[in-house]
Amino acid sequence: MAFLELQGVEKHFGSLRAIKGVDLKIEKGEFIVFVGPSGCGKSTLLRMIAGLTEIDGGSLTLDGRDITKLASSKRDLAMVFQSYALYPHMSVFDNMSFALRLANVDKAVIQQKVQRAAEILNLVPYLQRTPKELSGGQRQRVAIGRAIVRAPKVFLFDEPLSNLDAALRGQTRVEIAKLHRDLGATTIYVTHDQVEAMTLADRVVVLRDGQIEQVGTPLALYDRPANQFVAQFIGTPQMNVLPAAKLPQLAEVGGMAVPAGGFVGLRPEDIRVQLAGQGQLQGTVELVEALGAETLIHVATSTGAIVISRQNSRTTLHAGNPVGLSIDATAAHLFDDQGRLARPASGGASQASA
Ligand SMILES: Nc1ncnc2c1ncn2[C@@H]1O[C@H](COP(=O)(O)OP(=O)(O)OP(=O)(O)O)[C@@H](O)[C@H]1O
Ligand SMILES: [Mg+2]
């Protein structure tokens, strides 16, 4: 049996079926990331696991025990929110030790556990300060520290870094990755951030409208999305998806079978910008985004659709320039008219090995 297991889990808010029979098995020590559009049910699902929102159907087991109806305080889970929810009048030490003090843990043990968490999180110099005397990143680390000292069976994070600026987010992300490596604690982490999902997760769970669309390792989802939704949700810029009927040129290449009414999906790195007249598609540059290490070239194609090409080199192209696009047919993901995968990509730059 899996360490944490959800079976047919349901949540109803009045007439809204917010979570629709979710099945998920999580192994001990895994780092699981929930992603999906706003309102798809990520926080609801996490809160149901935490015991903060009641489960209306199905079951939840942790470490061999049915905890579906168990009170949150008895579940042995710790949750870290986007809003740090620290006690403003308490010192960092008191915030971090609060749960242990409530549980009447021995003073010396508390001291040792808080010290250890503070060392891991670089909070030792701040233990006597109150939260308002800390930066946002430090406050977030206190919230994480408060979870660590409890040594829970599972850590639950709901967008813990979304209040931080980009640099601090990056640093704290690396800290969370190290923390997971050091503690090996089972973790479920909700995020909107693609980089967090791709870098932190052992497996990513893509949710949509209260249901799981696909579960897999970050690269499995990137390389072998099960449907058009996952294909376009994972990856920035998102996968280009064009009606197959608009790409008769591509259908001739490599003898690929584009399903009637279907779609062709191409990662930006699998479309190469060439001189006008070359390649399978012709178009005009709409926009060039020079990001330094990479360049994104938006091209209005003769099919009427705009596609984005990603290259690692700089370009002298600018809006209005005519260009050709060459596409490696083996890199194309084919979807049927319902957006289901009809044929996975088998090659292309996005899947090339080092
Ligand atoms: N307490 C509640 N009462 C009624 N509806 C709710 C409640 N909590 C959530 N919902 C609804 O359930 C659905 C899922 O909400 P949830 O907060 O889980 O989404 P989310 O995926 O976390 O979104 P976001 O990315 O915006 O945080 C939404 O349609 C939301 O409006
Ligand atoms: Mg949410």
Side-chain angles (χ1 to χ4, degrees):
M1 182 183 247
F3 187 60
L4 183 70
E5 186 163 346
L6 288 77
Q7 278 184 309
V9 165
E10 291 270 339
K11 183 70 210 174
H12 306 247
F13 292 116
S15 61
L16 174 74
R17 198 172 160 216
I19 299 293
K20 301 170 180 164
V22 165
D23 295 315
L24 182 64
K25 289 181 182 182
I26 297 174
E27 298 304 330
K28 192 169 186 175
E30 263 197 303
F31 199 118
I32 298 290
V33 173
F34 288 174
V35 297
S38 184
C40 71
K42 303 179 294 296
S43 296
T44 301
L45 198 54
L46 200 69
R47 293 174 60 85
M48 290 163 87
I49 295 169
L52 301 172
T53 295
E54 206 177 310
I55 296 175
D56 295 335
S59 70
L60 176 66
T61 55
L62 174 61
D63 209 3
R65 188 160 72 126
D66 188 326
I67 61 165
T68 315
K69 304 257 178 245
L70 196 68
S72 178
S73 58
K74 301 218 163 74
R75 287 193 183 189
D76 209 356
L77 308 159
M79 185 145 166
V80 178
F81 300 92
Q82 172 181 352
S83 61
Y84 327 117
L86 300 175
Y87 297 104
H89 56 284
M90 283 187 201
S91 68
V92 167
F93 183 94
D94 288 345
N95 265 286
M96 283 169 63
S97 59
F98 189 72
L100 299 180
R101 284 185 285 132
L102 267 190
N104 286 321
V105 173
D106 184 71
K107 269 200 169 149
V109 174
I110 292 178
Q111 175 68 38
Q112 182 227 326
K113 286 193 168 175
V114 172
Q115 183 66 27
R116 168 91 183 102
E119 278 165 14
I120 292 173
L121 294 164
N122 289 320
L123 287 171
V124 175
Y126 312 108
L127 284 171
Q128 295 316 318
R129 293 200 195 170
T130 56
K132 71 171 187 307
E133 298 167 314
L134 300 175
S135 72
Q138 289 162 344
R139 277 178 221 170
Q140 190 53 273
R141 296 210 296 272
V142 175
I144 295 170
R146 192 172 48 179
I148 291 177
V149 296
R150 293 176 47 196
K153 283 194 172 142
V154 183
F155 284 102
L156 305 172
F157 290 94
D158 195 353
E159 306 199 45
L161 308 185
S162 52
N163 282 339
L164 307 181
D165 71 32
L168 203 49
R169 246 185 125 114
Q171 281 170 25
T172 316
R173 187 185 81 227
V174 171
E175 274 163 25
I176 288 177
K178 280 191 199 149
L179 197 65
H180 182 251
R181 198 191 54 205
D182 293 347
L183 302 178
T186 311
T187 304
I188 308 177
Y189 189 103
V190 171
T191 185
H192 270 114
D193 187 304
Q194 289 270 333
V195 180
E196 283 173 24
M198 297 300 276
T199 57
L200 291 172
D202 291 317
R203 288 188 301 151
V204 177
V205 176
V206 182
L207 289 160
R208 178 197 195 184
D209 205 11
Q211 284 174 304
I212 292 180
E213 288 284 316
Q214 193 174 0
V215 182
T217 64
L219 291 182
L221 295 190
Y222 192 85
D223 291 344
R224 294 184 298 283
N227 54 49
Q228 193 179 326
F229 176 81
V230 174
Q232 293 198 283
F233 195 80
I234 302 287
T236 328
Q238 69 177 17
M239 183 186 282
N240 298 288
V241 174
L242 306 169
K246 299 240 167 145
L247 283 170
Q249 308 94 318
L250 200 63
E252 295 165 17
V253 181
M256 39 177 239
V258 180
F263 299 88
V264 176
L266 295 158
R267 293 280 178 207
E269 58 272 32
D270 291 322
I271 299 178
R272 289 224 321 280
V273 174
Q274 310 273 46
L275 295 173
Q278 296 182 358
Q280 299 97 321
L281 267 179
Q282 300 303 309
T284 307
V285 175
E286 278 270 309
L287 176 70
V288 174
E289 295 180 278
L291 302 173
E294 61 177 25
T295 307
L296 305 178
I297 305 171
H298 300 236
V299 178
T301 64
S302 49
T303 68
I306 291 183
V307 303
I308 300 179
S309 160
R310 183 208 314 263
Q311 62 183 47
N312 293 328
S313 52
R314 309 270 166 110
T315 183
T316 54
L317 288 170
H318 49 80
N321 289 155
V323 290
L325 297 175
S326 72
I327 294 158
D328 175 358
T330 65
H333 302 253
L334 301 187
F335 302 104
D336 68 14
D337 57 352
Q338 303 296 309
R340 291 176 299 228
L341 189 68
R343 196 213 70 179
S346 55
S350 61
Q351 302 194 36
S353 57

